[in-house]
Amino acid sequence: MPDDTTAPADPATSIVRAGDLEVGIIDSGSGVPLVLVHGGESDRTQFTALRAHLGPGIRVISYDQRDSGVTVNPPVLYTMSDLADDLVHLLDALDLPSAHLLGTSFGGAVAQHVALRHPERVASLILVATSPSYFFEGAAIDELLSMTHEERQRSAVEFFFTPEGRPAQGGRVNVLTKRSPDKNSRREHVIRQHEVRDRLAEISVPTLIVHGTEDRLAPYAGAVLMEQQIPNAQLKAIEGGRHAIAQEFADRIALWVREFLGVDAT
């Protein structure tokens, strides 16, 4: 049993039974259902800034993946398919036949696998600062994964934010979740499984890709490839943006999301 998943961490968090897991979620607002899928180093709380800008007309759901936040899962290895199925089990638990998915970084990888494995449950995809393949990302992601949590905290500001956006972070990034060694090992194992470059053309749902042109962890060329290969995709670039664009440019991205979902700006 994981040692830090015994209870909700704050009043906004609730626990739902989804398949074989006890999953921590934050579920707010009403309207079009939008599930936010967090990155590899984060949890359900990653989207505080984005959630604040999404506005009315959207039901915003963020959740903890396996080995993240307050979710309780078996201490065994799992696959990208398992993570995709977990999200669908969550939709079942919330009585949602389908939902729009917004994934950032590794969460975007999970969202791609859901769209390929369960296309009938995905209304649309919004892929933020993500990649079609772990192996497309190059040495920077290996460098980050090789660090201790404390080293990642010190280095992540430069990896994640533009020079202009760094002062607001106070010298550190507050979206990096500290995990036990076993949890880190399982997360890193599954991250390295992500490879869908040869399957992008099978993604049939409308897709919005949002990417920073200076992202070292998920190179911009991967976003271009996704736009080229996914049949119904559009790419919006943030010039100079790095990996944490969903946090640093939350207001701009929220506006694009509302337009993409067809939610009235008023």
Side-chain angles (χ1 to χ4, degrees), residues 177-251:
T177 297
K178 187 171 185 178
R179 295 179 172 87
S180 69
D182 286 347
K183 291 181 180 182
N184 273 332
S185 178
R186 290 192 292 268
R187 293 286 288 177
E188 292 177 16
H189 169 81
V190 76
I191 284 169
R192 290 183 168 90
Q193 296 176 18
H194 176 49
E195 175 59 84
V196 298
R197 283 176 291 184
D198 62 347
R199 300 193 63 195
L200 291 173
E202 300 173 37
I203 296 177
S204 57
V205 299
T207 302
L208 172 65
I209 302 161
V210 183
H211 215 95
T213 60
E214 300 298 325
D215 190 333
R216 290 178 58 198
L217 296 176
Y220 185 70
V224 173
L225 179 65
M226 290 189 293
E227 182 193 30
Q228 292 171 342
Q229 296 295 321
I230 297 174
N232 191 10
Q234 57 178 296
L235 170 60
K236 288 187 176 292
I238 296 181
E239 291 295 328
R242 297 195 178 182
H243 199 57
I245 54 174
Q247 184 169 334
E248 184 174 351
F249 300 95
D251 53 349

Side-chain angles (χ1 to χ4, degrees), residues 52-74:
H53 289 284
L54 282 169
I58 303 176
R59 179 184 176 185
V60 185
I61 303 157
S62 61
Y63 75 103
D64 289 330
Q65 298 163 26
R66 296 189 186 214
D67 290 326
S68 304
V70 297
T71 285
V72 177
N73 56 270

Side-chain angles (χ1 to χ4, degrees), residues 4-148:
D4 55 357
T5 55
T6 56
D10 59 73
T13 296
S14 58
I15 302 293
V16 299
R17 182 76 177 181
D20 294 329
L21 309 183
E22 299 290 335
V23 179
I25 69 167
I26 301 174
D27 187 351
S28 63
S30 62
V32 175
L34 175 66
V35 178
L36 308 179
V37 192
H38 66 75
E41 294 291 313
S42 304
D43 61 24
R44 72 196 180 285
T45 65
Q46 177 182 2
F47 299 101
T48 301
L50 184 62
R51 188 186 293 268
H53 289 284
L54 282 169
I58 303 176
R59 179 184 176 185
V60 185
I61 303 157
S62 61
Y63 75 103
D64 289 330
Q65 298 163 26
R66 296 189 186 214
D67 290 326
S68 304
V70 297
T71 285
V72 177
N73 56 270
V76 296
L77 292 177
Y78 43 90
T79 66
M80 293 298 299
S81 294
D82 291 327
L83 293 177
D85 292 349
D86 290 346
L87 197 156
V88 170
H89 291 318
L90 177 62
L91 296 182
D92 291 339
L94 298 176
D95 293 322
L96 290 172
S98 66
H100 303 273
L101 306 183
L102 185 156
T104 183
S105 190
F106 178 69
V110 174
Q112 291 170 61
H113 285 267
V114 179
L116 289 166
R117 191 169 172 83
H118 302 282
E120 74 284 356
R121 306 301 297 271
V122 181
S124 73
L125 281 181
I126 304 167
L127 303 176
V128 181
T130 191
S131 171
S133 169
Y134 172 84
F135 302 98
F136 198 89
E137 297 174 354
I141 186 67
D142 283 326
E143 179 184 349
L144 196 66
L145 289 177
S146 70
M147 298 177 184
T148 66

Side-chain angles (χ1 to χ4, degrees), residues 157-170:
V157 172
E158 181 178 353
F159 274 110
F160 281 38
F161 294 94
T162 67
E164 296 77 16
R166 290 174 202 166
Q169 307 310 312

